[in-house]
Each structure stands twice: as structure tokens, then as C-alpha cells.
Amino acid sequence: MEDQYLECLLARLGLDLSDEEIRWVKTAFAGYRPQIEELMSLDLAGEEVGTAFLPLGKP
């Protein structure tokens, strides 16, 4: 996550995080980024929404 976006998000949430907490947020976001990108690519009107994150693959 780019610093400018994180700063905007923290400001909107009213959070004042330490440098260590900000590093943790960036690390956590980086770990979920592939799943977030996959979710964003889904056709939310289609059937793939319910099966997108099955741990052993999609039926």
C-alpha cells in the first residue's frame, strides 16, 4: 500500500499509529493483496463470488 493512501485511510479513520504499527498494517495488507485483487476481479453478479476463496480450488 502506498504511503499516501495509507495516510488518507488513517486520517479518515481518525487513527494515529506509531511507525511500528504502520509497518504492521503494510505487512498485513501485502499478505492479503492477492486475495483482494482476486475479489476485485470477480463478476459480483455471477456464481463465482461464493466459491472464489475455497481453500482447495474452485468446483
Side-chain angles (χ1 to χ4, degrees):
M1 175 179 286
E2 294 180 34
D3 289 343
Q4 65 189 26
Y5 299 127
L6 182 57
E7 289 173 14
C8 180
L9 179 62
L10 295 176
R12 291 188 73 185
L13 293 170
L15 295 175
D16 184 23
L17 301 180
S18 69
D19 289 342
E20 181 180 352
E21 291 168 323
I22 290 172
R23 282 192 302 275
W24 186 90
V25 168
K26 287 181 178 183
T27 300
F29 181 79
Y32 286 104
R33 187 174 187 136
Q35 292 92 344
I36 292 170
E37 288 175 352
E38 183 174 349
L39 179 61
M40 290 172 56
S41 74
L42 295 177
D43 173 10
L44 297 178
E47 295 179 13
E48 62 186 9
V49 174
T51 60
F53 296 101
L54 290 175
L56 299 176
K58 299 171 187 158

